[in-house]
Amino acid sequence: MIIAHLSDPHLRPRGHLYKGLIDSNAMFLAAVKHLNNLVPAPDVLLITGDIADEGSVAEYEMAKEILSEIQMPALLIPGNHDDRNVFRSFFRANDHMAVSGPLHLVANQFGPVRIIGLDITVPGQHYGDVDEAAQTWLDKTLALEPDRPTLIMLHHPPFLSGIPYIDLYTCRNGDRLSQVVSGYPAVERIVCGHIHRAMQLRFGGTLLCTAPSTVTAIALRLAVDSEEASYVEPPALLLHHWKPDTGLITHWVAIGEFPGPMPFA
């Protein structure tokens, strides 16, 4: 089973630039075209939030137009830049989407790996929160098939990255997530967005990784007094490849065209 993973496209209304500088719409469209050319094709695509930049109707109209180009099923959860109600109104035809409250999801039909989406966004705020209701919902959901290989997707990483200006808007009460996941060894991976960089660490007895953004990369500045900054680095996606003999393998894949292929390995 191959699971593609994009994050944080920060789409804008047609003709508008991200931060007035970067064509995030064109960069996301390039990512979609790259995905459509992958062989073998992924079984499903995950997008871990910040579909829109300001949560406007015009941005979600742009999102639906670009997403219509995707040649595989897609599972979406909101990020802190999304508006939960507008998000739901545009994507409510998705059978996996909750009809009210947080936009949690469960998808079982794309292959051996069960995919769980946990909406930990806090409307009107930029931080996330694993509240008691989310903790309880996740525990009950995992318990339905406790031995099935599972990937959990959320927007905010439930850890401090060490980048001071993004850690202001991290996920609160990440220990609740860790407590639940540690009781289910079949959880193969937790995947997140938000941080606009690829990172990985052990968390709750499993592996957690963050996906890069399809637009700008947040600068890796670890000094406590660092000023916030971003770069236009090569965009990338993650491919999570599940095989019975190895479990889930995660690959970082650059988006674009590069010299090659060369006749050697």
Side-chain angles (χ1 to χ4, degrees), residues 32-165:
V32 168
K33 291 179 177 178
H34 190 101
L35 275 178
N36 287 341
N37 288 327
L38 290 178
V39 179
D43 297 286
V44 63
L45 166 64
L46 314 182
I47 307 179
T48 48
D50 283 357
I51 311 301
D53 187 47
E54 296 180 353
S56 71
V57 169
E59 289 174 338
Y60 289 112
E61 288 173 343
M62 192 74 250
K64 286 207 77 169
E65 180 178 325
I66 298 176
L67 289 170
S68 70
E69 300 290 327
I70 296 174
Q71 298 172 4
M72 63 204 70
L75 300 173
L76 289 67
I77 57 171
N80 54 294
H81 283 263
D82 289 303
D83 181 289
R84 185 182 284 171
N85 292 328
V86 183
F87 187 105
R88 193 194 316 271
S89 72
F90 269 82
F91 303 115
R92 60 188 169 204
N94 189 323
D95 294 336
H96 314 288
M97 185 173 292
V99 297
S100 63
L103 296 172
H104 304 322
L105 64 86
V106 184
N108 297 300
Q109 73 273 40
F110 297 115
V113 179
R114 170 180 54 176
I115 299 167
I116 294 176
L118 191 66
D119 177 8
I120 59 168
T121 58
V122 180
Q125 302 295 331
H126 282 296
Y127 63 84
D129 186 15
V130 182
D131 59 20
E132 291 183 0
Q135 180 185 26
T136 300
W137 180 88
L138 179 62
D139 193 16
K140 290 181 177 179
T141 301
L142 287 168
L144 294 174
E145 294 184 90
D147 300 320
R148 181 169 181 173
T150 298
L151 180 150
I152 300 172
M153 57 186 290
L154 58 156
H155 181 65
H156 298 78
F159 66 93
L160 294 177
S161 70
I163 303 174
Y165 40 85

Side-chain angles (χ1 to χ4, degrees), residues 10 12 15-24 53-54 215-216:
H10 287 270
R12 301 286 290 129
H16 291 246
L17 300 177
Y18 175 62
K19 304 299 183 184
L21 297 170
I22 308 298
D23 193 344
S24 56
D53 187 47
E54 296 180 353
V215 61
T216 52

Side-chain angles (χ1 to χ4, degrees), residues 213-228:
S213 170
T214 57
V215 61
T216 52
I218 289 175
L220 182 59
R221 295 181 173 180
L222 301 177
V224 295
D225 58 349
S226 296
E227 295 185 1
E228 62 181 48

